[in-house]
Amino acid sequence: MSYVAPQEFATKMIDAGESKVFMSTKDTLIRAYMAGAILALAAAFAVTITVNTGEPLIGALLFPVGFCLLYLMGFDLLTGVFTLAPLALIAKRPGVTIGGILRNWGLVFVGNFAGALTTAVFMAIIFTMGFSQEPNAVGQKIGSIGESRTLGYAAAGAAGMLTLFIRAVMCNWMVSTGVVAAMMSNSVSGKVIAMWMPILVFFYLGFEHSIVNMYLFPSGIMLGGQFTWMDYFLWNEIPTVAGNLVGGVTFVGGMIYATHYKTSPSRNSTEKPATRLVAAE
């Protein structure tokens, strides 16, 4: 499958981060919009499967189809640029600034949200026959997800906020691992297999993904979920964005940069070969 060694894809990560920072506003917004829309559709697909089969694992197994599609089409998620863009700054690529990174993050957030919201409106129309009927079983499930993952956290107070944040950190640990894993292969099949595994883990374990939630929660409000936009932003989206940022920068981008791009010198033993042999015996 044309495996790419870690030292090589570490450089590819930095190159990708640099390209994101310098991308035009138009291209950044279009690619982010399409990424948000496609991932939202995959989330609707996975929830539908779960409701119809009664088996969450099947939904989780098939959810990664959306992530793989958007990645292969060159679209951008906020979770991915959280990981890649800072590496270009750390590597001191010419012209890369904190302001440029924040600009990229802001544009991708807006594009992702607009794309996810578009899908939310379309699917809400489908689930309610053009808002002329009560939501079907899938629509009701989406509404309940929104309630449990906003009001449920709020009811637990600080402990709920901590749990939400950690779930968001672990989410982008897995999602950004999927982004990086796609760079481990030069073939489409290799990229898909590598991406599929960590995305399956994040979705089945119920971690908090800021872009998936851009679909689930606005959609839940449209479909009669008993929570507000303030509940959504305060008790999910904002903490989730923060956790996704921490998870991507530290556990994926930072770790790979530190050990595969900025590799430390190998240790030189001061023992003589004979001494090492005797010690081993």
Side-chain angles (χ1 to χ4, degrees), residues 19-221:
S19 71
K20 307 299 183 190
V21 172
F22 292 122
M23 191 179 297
S24 70
T25 299
K26 181 205 72 174
D27 290 341
T28 302
L29 285 173
I30 291 174
R31 295 180 191 190
Y33 178 88
M34 291 304 301
I38 291 172
L39 197 69
L41 190 57
F45 174 56
V47 174
T48 301
I49 291 170
T50 300
V51 170
N52 290 342
T53 65
E55 180 48 70
L57 179 58
I58 300 177
L61 279 168
L62 296 176
F63 169 76
V65 65
F67 183 87
C68 294
L69 283 173
L70 71 88
Y71 182 92
L72 292 172
M73 295 179 75
F75 300 145
D76 290 325
L77 293 173
L78 184 63
T79 43
V81 296
F82 273 166
T83 300
L84 299 175
L87 296 181
L89 180 67
I90 297 171
K92 299 180 180 179
R93 290 293 175 89
V96 177
T97 64
I98 293 177
I101 293 172
L102 293 177
R103 168 189 169 277
N104 173 256
W105 289 351
L107 290 173
V108 173
F109 179 93
V110 170
N112 284 169
F113 196 93
L117 191 60
T118 299
T119 300
V121 172
F122 288 170
M123 295 308 298
I125 291 171
I126 292 171
F127 293 147
T128 62
M129 190 62 73
F131 298 108
S132 66
Q133 301 174 3
E134 289 297 311
N136 63 14
V138 178
Q140 293 174 26
K141 177 63 176 178
I142 291 174
S144 68
I145 290 172
E147 290 178 26
S148 65
R149 286 164 58 178
T150 53
L151 303 183
Y153 289 130
M161 185 64 74
L162 175 62
T163 302
L164 167 60
F165 180 78
I166 295 301
R167 281 183 171 176
V169 170
M170 297 190 73
C171 171
N172 209 21
W173 187 348
M174 288 294 96
V175 172
S176 286
T177 295
V179 171
V180 174
M183 299 180 183
M184 297 176 184
S185 174
N186 291 320
S187 70
V188 172
S189 59
K191 289 178 181 293
V192 168
I193 292 170
M195 286 187 281
W196 208 281
M197 295 181 288
I199 303 305
L200 162 62
V201 171
F202 118 71
F203 197 83
Y204 186 71
L205 290 177
F207 294 154
E208 298 286 351
H209 190 276
S210 53
I211 294 85
V212 170
N213 294 355
M214 289 174 184
Y215 164 72
L216 289 175
F217 294 80
S219 184
I221 292 172

